Amino acid sequence: PFVDTKKNRVDAKKFLAAWEGKTDPWIDLALKPTKGFGEKELHLLLRNTWNAFGISEVQIARFPAYQRLKEKNAKKGAFTEQELRDVKFWFYLAHFDPDFLEQKVWLPDGTVVDLTDLVTKHADGTYHLTRTVTEEDCNRIVAETYKVCANVIPIHRKLMYDHVRRQGQIEVATTPFYHPILPLIFDSDLARICQPGDPMPERYAYPEDADAQVAMAVEFYTKTFGQPPLGMWPGEGSVAHEVVPIFRKNGIQWIATDEKILARSKPAGQPKFFPYEVDTSDVAVVFRETELSDKIGFTYQNFVGEDAADDFIKSILRYAPAAGEPDRLLTVILDGENAWEWYRRDNDAKEFLHALYRKLSKLYKSRQVVTVTMSEFIHGNPKRGVDAHPVESMKKLDWLYPGSWINANYDTWIGEQEENTAWNYLRTARMDLARSGVPQPDPKAPEPRSGTKKWYAYKTWEAMYAAEGSDWFWWYGTDQNAPAGDKPFDIAFITHLRNLYQFGRKAGGTFPDREFTPIITVKEEMVSRTAGGTMAQSRKDSVIVLFQCDARKIFVRRGIYITGNHELLGNWTPNAVRMYDDRTTGDEVANDSIYTLVLQVPAGVELEYKYTNSGPRGTWEGEEFPSRNRRLVVDGTVPRIVVSDVFGVMP
């Protein structure tokens, strides 16, 4: 009611009167006149843990004016009113897909997003404003954002595959409602199987909550998309044999997790390129091909798009079955919201994705590779020549190992002191709730009328379920740390627990007085913030290796290349894998003749490699030494290795 999509304007006065301080603060900042900003607004914009400069270094480098403002803020420089206006505007603009910045885009509801009058793209790929930002522009950018957001659900509904009518293109899976680590809600002692050496909190075992989390997700999905989900990605790929019946009870036909879980399940030694039925549950499980998935999530961020697509296709075709063998199903799963902003040589991975889909379409015509949704694979689609693979016909797993897609266990969420403290807090609150007299609501029932006792009971359990979510436990401990600090997640977790008691008393429940003190102290946060980032991988799965080759003492006509005994190094194809001297892919100084390449290398690999100088692809011209190879053991004990070599010099 506040947005005029034809005039691209928000009625700021009415919106702020109704919603100021009650929703996203960035909307308030954009709609408020910058001239009237006080300390509260300035803190949010510039100094808050999540301020206006929370953007990847790769992404912000494409907006030089925005980057200069970030650098000024880091030096605690004083901002003019116009600069503050620019900051809040850039925060929105820099997060738009490049398509919106470069051309008109028609959306499914008939609206159009066209930002080309505000921003222009230069030959070097950077974006620049075409005029001085005004308050009207800040208002408009909120309206443009609204139009994009308003079309997210409609475009997915339009493209969704219906396995009954055999129409559609994509399948939307879901996850347990508040994204809990479902097996730990079912019974936290399952972690003792996959983490036998870690200290554990007191047992948290509430199967009814695990069921409610799945049931609420199914209900919300059905209301949103007009059909129930068939598939579910359990939060962080966290599975256990014991929770599979919950999925089946709620109509879920397939789930997914990582190949490391398959390697530990029974019977042992099963190939990852088949789906399996868990026991006789009538639930299929597919296993993520880790290397393929991590190539998209990590490795290809340093590639040119076309080269990345070529490499991916080659990697897929390695799995092609021989004549007469059954179909194979490769499953690629990654954190899609994280990968693209880190693609250094390919803005938003546009070139890679377009090239990949083009190549896959060509391979589909020859029937070498057929892309499918899981429901299409299970139920079949004669229109596309996809045979049915009923769950009951799949190979059986006698036992599904408990763990997640990270380390094949749950140690990101349980086992460290902070994490265990949080679980004990959660257990205390859940036990108090069980004794309070506030009944557990039907997870499929609609929200009661606001202000009634039933509504407060509903809100009590909502706070409980939210506190069971995985995010708080993810950031506790030292294994994962937010770039801006973990404290906001600690505050959110404690707030959910406190809300439970406040709502519960208003619902007529009897609760003891509890004080849940913050788990993260300032000192602990300062120590932990050196330890990690937001894109998680298993510590034992892969290692970032930064190769540096010093070529300052030789003449380099065309470039320095690396080759070696791994596909990331070209499988000994010389002069094929280029290194860089242009401040990309980890290179610190452009044109200093120190060439760099960053790769995500599987742990447990012993690399042999060498460098070549400017030779034709596939020839050994320019080889640094013909009879010897360099060696590097990547054992997974450290997350990052820096290799500093001098061309032609063996240490």
Side-chain angles (χ1 to χ4, degrees), residues 66-77:
Y66 192 16
Q67 188 168 36
R68 288 193 292 271
L69 291 167
K70 180 178 181 179
E71 291 167 354
K72 183 173 184 177
N73 190 54
K75 296 176 182 177
K76 302 189 184 305

Side-chain angles (χ1 to χ4, degrees), residues 426-640:
L426 193 71
R427 180 177 181 271
T428 296
R430 185 61 177 82
M431 292 175 67
D432 286 344
L433 178 54
R435 293 189 290 255
S436 70
V438 178
Q440 189 166 15
D442 179 353
K444 296 183 179 181
E447 182 175 338
R449 182 168 56 87
S450 177
T452 63
K453 278 197 172 184
K454 286 186 177 181
W455 182 78
Y456 282 117
Y458 176 91
K459 299 296 286 185
T460 302
W461 282 92
E462 185 179 54
M464 185 71 247
Y465 295 143
E468 290 177 337
S470 69
D471 279 359
W472 338 115
F473 301 95
W474 172 284
W475 298 113
Y476 285 131
T478 59
D479 46 9
Q480 304 292 343
N481 296 281
D486 299 345
K487 191 62 179 175
F489 298 97
D490 185 33
I491 293 171
F493 176 66
I494 299 297
T495 299
H496 285 308
L497 295 181
R498 290 172 178 169
N499 285 346
L500 183 156
Y501 288 80
Q502 292 175 12
F503 287 131
R505 292 188 180 102
K506 291 182 178 181
T510 302
F511 290 84
D513 291 330
R514 299 282 187 195
E515 180 56 37
F516 296 101
T517 58
I519 295 172
I520 297 176
T521 66
V522 174
K523 181 179 179 180
E524 287 170 340
E525 182 172 31
M526 290 176 66
V527 171
S528 70
R529 279 178 60 179
T530 64
T534 59
M535 291 181 70
Q537 281 186 290
S538 302
R539 292 190 301 275
K540 301 171 186 175
D541 288 347
S542 57
V543 176
I544 296 173
V545 180
L546 187 149
F547 291 94
Q548 294 177 323
C549 181
D550 186 341
R552 287 177 292 185
K553 294 184 178 181
I554 63 173
F555 172 70
V556 179
R557 177 173 54 83
R558 188 162 61 93
I560 296 295
Y561 297 79
I562 187 171
T563 187
N565 65 339
H566 193 277
E567 63 175 337
L568 294 174
L569 300 175
N571 285 326
W572 289 118
T573 302
N575 292 301
V577 180
R578 176 185 286 272
M579 302 181 74
Y580 299 94
D581 186 20
D582 58 0
R583 287 198 68 192
T584 67
T585 67
D587 187 61
E588 295 180 356
V589 181
N591 302 315
D592 65 348
S593 295
I594 298 177
Y595 290 77
T596 306
L597 183 67
V598 179
L599 298 175
Q600 196 84 19
V601 179
V605 169
E606 182 174 349
L607 297 178
E608 292 191 26
Y609 68 99
K610 65 177 62 177
Y611 303 103
T612 57
N613 178 10
S614 306
R617 180 186 176 96
T619 74
W620 286 101
E621 182 180 327
E623 181 182 4
E624 59 174 345
F625 21 70
S627 59
R628 292 183 294 169
N629 300 328
R630 301 178 186 270
R631 285 179 171 79
L632 174 67
V633 176
V634 182
D635 59 13
T637 57
V638 294
R640 188 171 187 268

